Every structure is written in C-alpha cells, then in structure tokens.
Coordinates of all heavy atoms in Angstrom, one line a residue:
R828 N 72.2 123.5 105.6 CA 73.5 123.8 104.9 C 74.7 123.4 105.8 O 75.8 123.2 105.4 CB 73.6 125.3 104.5 CG 72.7 125.6 103.4 CD 73.0 127.0 102.8 NE 72.7 128.1 103.8 CZ 71.5 128.7 104.0 NH1 70.5 128.3 103.2 NH2 71.4 129.6 104.9
A829 N 74.5 123.5 107.2 CA 75.5 123.2 108.1 C 75.7 121.7 108.4 O 76.7 121.3 109.0 CB 75.3 123.9 109.4
V830 N 74.8 120.8 108.0 CA 74.8 119.4 108.3 C 76.1 118.8 107.8 O 76.8 118.0 108.5 CB 73.6 118.7 107.8 CG1 73.8 117.2 107.8 CG2 72.4 119.1 108.6
P831 N 76.5 119.0 106.5 CA 77.8 118.3 106.1 C 79.0 118.7 106.9 O 79.8 117.9 107.3 CB 77.9 118.8 104.6 CG 76.5 119.1 104.2 CD 75.9 119.7 105.4
G832 N 79.0 120.0 107.3 CA 80.1 120.4 108.2 C 80.1 119.8 109.5 O 81.1 119.4 110.1
A833 N 78.9 119.6 110.1 CA 78.7 119.0 111.4 C 79.1 117.5 111.3 O 79.7 117.0 112.3 CB 77.2 119.1 111.8
L834 N 78.8 116.8 110.2 CA 79.2 115.4 110.1 C 80.7 115.3 110.0 O 81.3 114.3 110.5 CB 78.5 114.8 108.9 CG 77.0 114.7 109.0 CD1 76.4 114.1 107.7 CD2 76.6 113.8 110.2
R835 N 81.4 116.2 109.3 CA 82.8 116.2 109.1 C 83.5 116.3 110.5 O 84.6 115.8 110.7 CB 83.3 117.2 108.2 CG 83.1 116.9 106.7 CD 83.8 117.9 105.8 NE 83.4 119.2 105.9 CZ 82.4 119.8 105.2 NH1 81.8 119.0 104.3 NH2 82.0 121.0 105.4
K836 N 82.9 117.1 111.4 CA 83.5 117.3 112.7 C 83.4 116.1 113.6 O 83.9 116.1 114.7 CB 82.8 118.5 113.4 CG 83.1 119.8 112.7 CD 82.3 121.0 113.4 CE 82.7 122.3 112.8 NZ 84.1 122.7 113.1
L837 N 82.7 115.0 113.2 CA 82.7 113.8 114.0 C 84.0 113.1 114.1 O 84.2 112.2 114.9 CB 81.6 112.8 113.4 CG 80.2 113.2 113.5 CD1 79.3 112.2 112.8 CD2 79.8 113.3 115.0
D838 N 85.0 113.5 113.3 CA 86.3 113.0 113.3 C 86.9 113.1 114.7 O 86.9 114.3 115.3 CB 87.2 113.8 112.3 CG 88.6 113.2 112.2 OD1 89.0 112.5 113.1 OD2 89.2 113.4 111.2
P839 N 87.3 112.1 115.4 CA 87.8 112.2 116.8 C 88.9 113.2 116.9 O 89.1 113.8 118.0 CB 88.3 110.7 117.1 CG 87.4 109.9 116.2 CD 87.2 110.7 114.9
R840 N 89.7 113.4 115.8 CA 90.8 114.3 115.9 C 90.3 115.8 116.1 O 91.0 116.6 116.6 CB 91.6 114.2 114.6 CG 92.5 112.9 114.5 CD 93.1 112.8 113.2 NE 92.1 112.7 112.1 CZ 92.4 112.5 110.8 NH1 93.7 112.4 110.5 NH2 91.5 112.4 109.9
E841 N 89.0 116.0 115.6 CA 88.4 117.3 115.8 C 87.7 117.3 117.2 O 87.7 118.3 117.9 CB 87.3 117.5 114.7 CG 87.9 117.7 113.3 CD 88.2 119.2 113.1 OE1 87.8 120.0 113.8 OE2 89.0 119.4 112.1
M842 N 87.0 116.2 117.5 CA 86.2 116.1 118.7 C 86.9 116.3 120.0 O 86.4 116.8 121.0 CB 85.3 114.8 118.7 CG 84.3 114.7 117.6 SD 83.0 116.0 117.7 CE 82.4 115.7 119.4
W843 N 88.2 115.8 120.0 CA 88.9 115.8 121.3 C 89.1 117.2 121.8 O 89.4 117.4 123.0 CB 90.2 115.0 121.2 CG 91.3 115.7 120.6 CD1 91.6 115.7 119.3 CD2 92.3 116.5 121.2 NE1 92.7 116.4 119.0 CE2 93.2 116.9 120.2 CE3 92.5 116.9 122.5 CZ2 94.3 117.7 120.5 CZ3 93.6 117.7 122.8 CH2 94.5 118.1 121.8
H844 N 89.0 118.2 120.9 CA 89.2 119.6 121.4 C 88.0 120.1 122.3 O 88.2 121.1 123.0 CB 89.3 120.5 120.2 CG 90.5 120.3 119.3 ND1 91.8 120.7 119.8 CD2 90.7 119.8 118.1 CE1 92.7 120.4 118.8 NE2 92.1 119.8 117.8
N845 N 86.9 119.3 122.2 CA 85.8 119.6 123.1 C 85.6 118.4 124.0 O 84.9 117.4 123.6 CB 84.5 119.8 122.2 CG 83.3 120.3 123.0 OD1 83.3 120.1 124.2 ND2 82.4 120.9 122.4
P846 N 86.2 118.4 125.2 CA 86.2 117.2 126.0 C 84.8 116.7 126.4 O 84.7 115.4 126.4 CB 86.9 117.7 127.3 CG 87.7 118.9 126.9 CD 86.9 119.5 125.8
V847 N 83.9 117.6 126.6 CA 82.5 117.1 127.0 C 81.9 116.3 125.9 O 81.4 115.2 126.1 CB 81.6 118.3 127.4 CG1 80.2 117.8 127.7 CG2 82.2 119.0 128.6
M848 N 81.9 116.8 124.7 CA 81.3 116.2 123.5 C 82.1 115.0 123.1 O 81.6 114.0 122.5 CB 81.0 117.1 122.4 CG 80.1 118.3 122.7 SD 78.6 117.8 123.7 CE 77.8 116.7 122.6
F849 N 83.4 115.0 123.4 CA 84.2 113.8 123.0 C 83.8 112.6 123.9 O 83.7 111.5 123.4 CB 85.7 114.2 123.3 CG 86.7 113.1 122.8 CD1 86.6 112.5 121.6 CD2 87.7 112.6 123.7 CE1 87.5 111.5 121.1 CE2 88.6 111.7 123.2 CZ 88.5 111.1 122.0
I850 N 83.5 112.9 125.1 CA 83.0 111.8 126.0 C 81.6 111.3 125.5 O 81.4 110.1 125.5 CB 82.8 112.3 127.5 CG1 84.2 112.6 128.1 CG2 82.0 111.3 128.3 CD1 84.1 113.2 129.5
V851 N 80.8 112.2 125.0 CA 79.5 111.8 124.4 C 79.7 110.9 123.2 O 79.1 109.9 123.0 CB 78.6 113.0 124.1 CG1 77.3 112.5 123.5 CG2 78.3 113.8 125.4
E852 N 80.7 111.3 122.4 CA 81.0 110.5 121.2 C 81.5 109.1 121.5 O 81.1 108.1 120.9 CB 82.0 111.2 120.3 CG 82.2 110.5 118.9 CD 83.1 111.3 118.0 OE1 84.2 111.8 118.5 OE2 82.9 111.3 116.8
I853 N 82.4 109.0 122.5 CA 82.8 107.7 122.9 C 81.7 106.9 123.4 O 81.6 105.7 123.1 CB 83.9 107.9 124.1 CG1 85.2 108.5 123.5 CG2 84.2 106.5 124.7 CD1 86.2 108.9 124.5
G854 N 80.8 107.5 124.2 CA 79.6 106.8 124.7 C 78.7 106.3 123.6 O 78.2 105.2 123.6
A855 N 78.6 107.2 122.5 CA 77.7 106.8 121.4 C 78.4 105.6 120.7 O 77.6 104.7 120.2 CB 77.6 108.0 120.4
A856 N 79.7 105.6 120.5 CA 80.4 104.5 119.8 C 80.2 103.2 120.6 O 80.0 102.2 120.0 CB 81.8 104.9 119.6
L857 N 80.4 103.3 121.9 CA 80.3 102.1 122.8 C 78.9 101.6 122.8 O 78.7 100.3 122.7 CB 80.8 102.5 124.2 CG 80.7 101.3 125.2 CD1 81.6 100.2 124.7 CD2 81.2 101.8 126.6
T858 N 77.9 102.4 122.8 CA 76.5 102.0 122.8 C 76.2 101.3 121.5 O 75.4 100.3 121.4 CB 75.6 103.2 123.1 OG1 76.0 103.8 124.3 CG2 74.1 102.7 123.3
T859 N 76.7 101.9 120.4 CA 76.5 101.3 119.1 C 77.1 99.9 119.0 O 76.4 98.9 118.5 CB 77.1 102.2 118.0 OG1 76.6 103.5 118.1 CG2 76.8 101.6 116.6
L860 N 78.3 99.7 119.5 CA 78.9 98.3 119.6 C 78.0 97.4 120.4 O 77.8 96.2 120.0 CB 80.3 98.4 120.1 CG 81.3 99.2 119.2 CD1 82.7 99.3 120.0 CD2 81.5 98.5 117.9
L861 N 77.5 97.9 121.5 CA 76.7 97.0 122.4 C 75.4 96.6 121.7 O 74.9 95.5 121.8 CB 76.3 97.7 123.7 CG 77.5 97.9 124.7 CD1 77.1 98.8 125.8 CD2 78.0 96.5 125.2
A862 N 74.8 97.6 120.9 CA 73.6 97.3 120.2 C 73.8 96.2 119.1 O 73.0 95.4 118.9 CB 73.1 98.6 119.5
I863 N 75.0 96.3 118.5 CA 75.3 95.3 117.5 C 75.5 93.9 118.1 O 75.1 92.9 117.6 CB 76.6 95.7 116.7 CG1 76.3 97.0 115.9 CG2 77.1 94.6 115.8 CD1 77.6 97.6 115.3
A864 N 76.1 93.9 119.3 CA 76.5 92.7 120.0 C 75.3 92.0 120.7 O 75.3 90.8 121.0 CB 77.6 92.9 120.9
E865 N 74.3 92.8 121.0 CA 73.2 92.3 121.9 C 72.5 91.0 121.3 O 72.1 90.2 122.1 CB 72.1 93.4 122.1 CG 72.5 94.2 123.3 CD 71.5 95.4 123.5 OE1 70.6 95.5 122.7 OE2 71.7 96.2 124.5
P866 N 72.2 90.9 120.0 CA 71.6 89.7 119.5 C 72.4 88.4 119.9 O 71.8 87.3 120.0 CB 71.5 89.9 118.0 CG 71.5 91.4 117.9 CD 72.4 91.9 118.9

C-alpha cells in the first residue's frame, strides 16, 4: 500500500530534504544515463 507514495517521493523537490538519499538518487540517475550510453 505504501509503494505509490514511495514512488511519488522520487520527485527531486521532495528528495532534497534528505541529503543522503538525494545523493543516491543523483547517482542512480547518472548510472542510468551511463547504462543507456554504454552501447
């Protein structure tokens, strides 16, 4: 039941209130871009 709420919190405007997890989200986004570019 909490999954939809957790996904809504991925909004960077929400995430920056938690600096540690904001860094993780930036890392996840950067790694995703690298995965797309690797081929």
Side-chain angles (χ1 to χ4, degrees):
R828 290 191 295 272
V830 167
L834 294 176
R835 284 193 295 270
K836 290 178 179 291
L837 291 175
D838 186 337
R840 291 171 297 181
E841 292 272 345
M842 292 298 301
W843 79 270
H844 294 289
N845 187 337
V847 176
M848 299 315 300
F849 187 49
I850 290 175
V851 178
E852 185 177 41
I853 292 173
L857 181 56
T858 308
T859 302
L860 292 175
L861 289 173
I863 295 172
E865 272 176 2

